[in-house]
Amino acid sequence: MKKQRAIDAIALYEQISAEVGSMLKQPPGIIVSKLMAMVLQAPTIFQQPDPWTNVEDGMPTIPGDVNGHGEITVAVMFKTEQRVHTMIYERAIVRGKTVYRWKWPWDRIYSDGGIIRWAYLPQPPKKQEDATNGTAEPQC
């Protein structure tokens, strides 16, 4: 998809270059209207918001009752590694006190303090009923 966008942008650039060369011989009003038409044809690039949050800026929201156990699985990055790990951010009641902590997926508590950023995992694909036999298929 990105490669096709680049090819489209190059083709549009070539078209614009050719039209600008011919426009310079025309009155200013026509030049402005042609430029506006070219601007409207230009591809729009949307900047996606950064899904990663620094731990200093906040922690993941844990669903459920704030006075009980809850957990959420998120992606994390460590300051010592350039790769992503899946971890659990947990709210637990330990000796009568509410504790928030990171855990590995195999249920071991993480205590090194090297997590610098986290992001929510994407939602799984929605199931769509197959028209032929009524079975549910993931929609990708």
Side-chain angles (χ1 to χ4, degrees):
M1 184 80 170
K2 290 182 182 180
K3 184 176 181 181
Q4 185 60 43
R5 280 183 142 180
I7 291 170
D8 291 344
I10 291 169
L12 185 61
Y13 176 76
E14 289 173 352
Q15 177 189 354
I16 290 170
S17 298
E19 288 189 30
V20 167
S22 68
M23 273 195 289
L24 295 177
K25 302 170 190 156
Q26 298 178 6
I30 293 175
I31 294 173
V32 169
S33 63
K34 284 192 173 188
L35 283 173
M36 289 303 294
M38 284 190 276
V39 166
L40 292 174
Q41 291 176 13
T44 304
I45 299 172
F46 295 101
Q47 183 160 352
Q48 297 292 328
D50 185 11
W52 292 94
T53 304
N54 290 327
V55 292
E56 295 89 21
D57 296 337
M59 299 304 266
T61 302
I62 300 173
D65 182 17
V66 295
N67 296 321
H69 179 269
E71 62 184 37
I72 187 166
T73 303
V74 295
V76 299
M77 291 190 330
F78 297 99
K79 61 182 166 188
T80 57
E81 295 182 38
Q82 289 299 315
R83 57 185 223 184
V84 175
H85 292 275
T86 303
M87 303 233 358
I88 298 168
Y89 188 62
E90 177 187 56
R91 177 182 56 240
I93 309 300
V94 179
R95 296 186 185 127
K97 295 184 180 181
T98 303
V99 177
Y100 291 86
R101 59 190 178 190
W102 290 103
K103 288 175 35 177
W104 291 103
W106 51 87
D107 214 31
R108 183 170 177 188
I109 296 171
Y110 175 80
S111 59
D112 290 344
I115 298 172
I116 56 172
R117 301 182 90 194
W118 62 270
Y120 290 110
L121 296 175
Q123 294 296 319
K126 295 187 183 344
K127 291 188 177 186
Q128 182 178 16
E129 238 182 81
D130 186 9
T132 57
N133 60 8
T135 60
E137 292 285 329
Q139 183 181 6
C140 298

